[in-house]
Amino acid sequence: MSQDLTPQVFEGLERLCMPQGGEGIVAAPAFPGIERIEAKFSGNAFEPHRHDTYGLGVTLKGVQTFSYRGERRFSMPGQVIVLHPDEVHDGGAGTDDGLQYRILYLEPSLLFECLEAEKLGLPFVDQPVISDAVLADVLLGALTDLEGELDELFVDDFLMRMAQGLVRHTKALRRLPANIAWNQARCARDYLDAHATRTVRSGELESVTGLDRFTLSRHFRAAFATSPHRYLLMRRLQQARAMIGEGSELSDVAFATGFADQSHLNRHFKKAYGMTPGQWAALRRGSQPGRSFAR
């Protein structure tokens, strides 16, 4: 298979955001529950880490390789990558020619809400690399224009088609857990979003949701595929990434996002993203001099 994405697979993408020969990461404008980035690099860029979201991407150029669920995986141009929440993985270029790909990170709750009417739980695709031109086309609909913001009506249709595509590749469909306390789970999530840069106590969530901490933890994980603690941590790290992308000093970022110090930020950032904040900042600076897509 060619190590360059063919026009038939990625029709409509006349230009790529990165300069030829450069390395870097470009982040698109944010949409609630969806992050979109393009990355271009060589070698092993990401150490083992895990997200609290789905990672759904398309390889554009080169060979993308990563360890996932005990095996070494390889993605060629045009193939779809599906990484599940809280699954440890690394990432890098499989050849000396380097790698370019686009990926979006999707909060599980958006898929849950999309599948709720069919009483289906979150889909689990056991093969993380898929050759599916239809699913690739759905993904690229959201990834082609990284300069533009996502439209709400577009996202509604995108989520429906994405959910259908993932279900199509799920061997054993799981039924939706009965009686998820959606209102309380969303209330806890909104509270964590609003207080992401400080310590939130279990008693606070009990007060705002009316559920005891253990019941809330069970319902929160069923709804959002992660724990309240990890959800709060990832929101801090998202804010940290945004500030780093804007050029803030790392010591200021650590203070503003609720970490004890820069070392504390470094440790959690590397666990979540597979690189240090300094490495992330260098890759952001390497993407299109004088131009950055703010998040």
Side-chain angles (χ1 to χ4, degrees), residues 152-167:
E152 185 174 345
L153 292 179
F154 167 84
V155 170
D156 292 341
D157 182 68
F158 167 78
L159 290 173
M160 180 272 295
R161 298 174 67 197
M162 198 72 240
Q164 289 177 340
L166 293 176
V167 166

Side-chain angles (χ1 to χ4, degrees), residues 88-294:
V88 177
H89 59 282
D90 58 10
T95 70
D96 293 337
D97 294 330
L99 170 67
Q100 190 166 4
Y101 69 94
R102 290 188 177 186
I103 191 167
L104 64 81
Y105 297 101
L106 181 66
E107 285 190 12
S109 60
L110 297 181
L111 284 180
F112 247 138
E113 292 169 356
C114 193
L115 295 168
E116 187 176 12
E118 301 178 55
K119 304 299 181 184
L120 294 177
L122 285 173
F124 187 88
V125 180
D126 62 350
Q127 294 300 319
V129 179
I130 302 170
S131 295
D132 183 334
V134 174
L135 189 59
D137 185 63
V138 173
L139 263 175
L140 294 172
L143 291 170
T144 298
D145 180 14
L146 292 188
E147 296 186 17
E149 296 189 4
L150 294 175
D151 175 82
E152 185 174 345
L153 292 179
F154 167 84
V155 170
D156 292 341
D157 182 68
F158 167 78
L159 290 173
M160 180 272 295
R161 298 174 67 197
M162 198 72 240
Q164 289 177 340
L166 293 176
V167 166
R168 189 169 66 250
H169 288 279
T170 300
K171 291 183 178 179
L173 294 176
R174 293 179 290 182
R175 308 308 299 180
L176 190 67
N179 303 318
I180 292 180
W182 276 107
N183 289 338
Q184 290 91 333
R186 290 189 183 104
C187 183
R189 180 190 62 182
D190 293 345
Y191 191 85
L192 293 172
D193 285 337
H195 301 87
T197 58
R198 69 168 179 82
T199 299
V200 175
R201 304 293 182 184
S202 298
E204 295 178 62
L205 294 182
E206 289 180 328
S207 296
V208 299
T209 65
L211 297 177
D212 69 82
R213 63 194 64 186
F214 305 110
T215 300
L216 174 61
S217 180
R218 185 173 69 253
H219 285 282
F220 194 96
R221 183 173 288 277
F224 304 122
T226 194
S227 67
H229 173 266
R230 182 155 175 77
Y231 182 87
L232 180 67
L233 174 62
M234 292 304 297
R235 301 295 78 73
R236 289 181 181 177
L237 291 171
Q238 279 185 333
Q239 291 188 33
R241 281 204 326 188
M243 291 182 66
I244 292 169
E246 294 166 358
S248 298
E249 294 292 332
L250 295 183
S251 57
D252 295 335
V253 172
F255 177 79
T257 53
F259 291 94
D261 51 31
Q262 188 173 330
S263 176
H264 190 211
L265 168 64
N266 288 352
R267 186 165 64 253
H268 284 290
F269 196 100
K270 190 172 183 179
K271 286 182 179 179
Y273 301 123
M275 63 175 62
T276 66
Q279 290 170 321
W280 175 267
L283 284 172
R284 287 302 307 271
R285 287 194 298 268
S287 62
Q288 283 197 314
R291 184 176 175 192
S292 175
F293 300 142

